[in-house]
Amino acid sequence: MGRQDEEQTAYFALLRAREELAALQRYQEYLVAERARIDGFVAAGTELDGTVDQRLRRALRHTDEPLGEALELRRRVIADERRRLPERIEAAQAYVDECEAAHAALKR
């Protein structure tokens, strides 16, 4: 493989590394927004429930517990992902830095 091929390979590795880092950063933003969306949904539902006679909600009440459990599970998964994400972003940034250094070295 010639030097130009190596430089091109390094460049494309750098582009992929940057894309991965950007995707992780977007995912981090998504997780924050998703948690806010769920919290808003729960708050709005709680507020709405207080506006109707509970006897009339009987047909819906049997779904309250499964819905609450599903939302709580999603909150836990989001929290777990948010705890692990900084390490993944740090690793992705380190890889971008490596790729940038390798590409720069080949350009000289």
Side-chain angles (χ1 to χ4, degrees), residues 82-99:
R82 287 181 69 185
R83 272 191 297 278
R84 292 184 299 144
L85 203 50
E87 185 177 310
R88 291 173 64 192
I89 289 173
E90 186 178 312
Q93 181 63 60
Y95 184 60
V96 166
D97 295 344
E98 286 176 31
C99 289

Side-chain angles (χ1 to χ4, degrees), residues 3 6-11 101-108:
R3 186 165 178 83
E6 288 180 33
E7 182 183 336
Q8 194 173 41
T9 298
Y11 177 71
H103 182 251
L106 287 169
K107 283 179 70 171
R108 291 184 200 136

Side-chain angles (χ1 to χ4, degrees), residues 1-37:
M1 183 183 316
R3 186 165 178 83
Q4 187 175 10
D5 290 338
E6 288 180 33
E7 182 183 336
Q8 194 173 41
T9 298
Y11 177 71
F12 286 118
L14 173 58
L15 290 180
R16 284 190 303 277
R18 286 178 178 165
E19 287 174 4
E20 177 65 20
L21 176 59
L24 288 169
Q25 291 166 333
R26 283 190 306 274
Y27 183 51
Q28 187 174 41
E29 294 168 1
Y30 165 83
L31 292 173
V32 170
E34 179 64 359
R35 175 59 197 251
R37 185 186 72 81

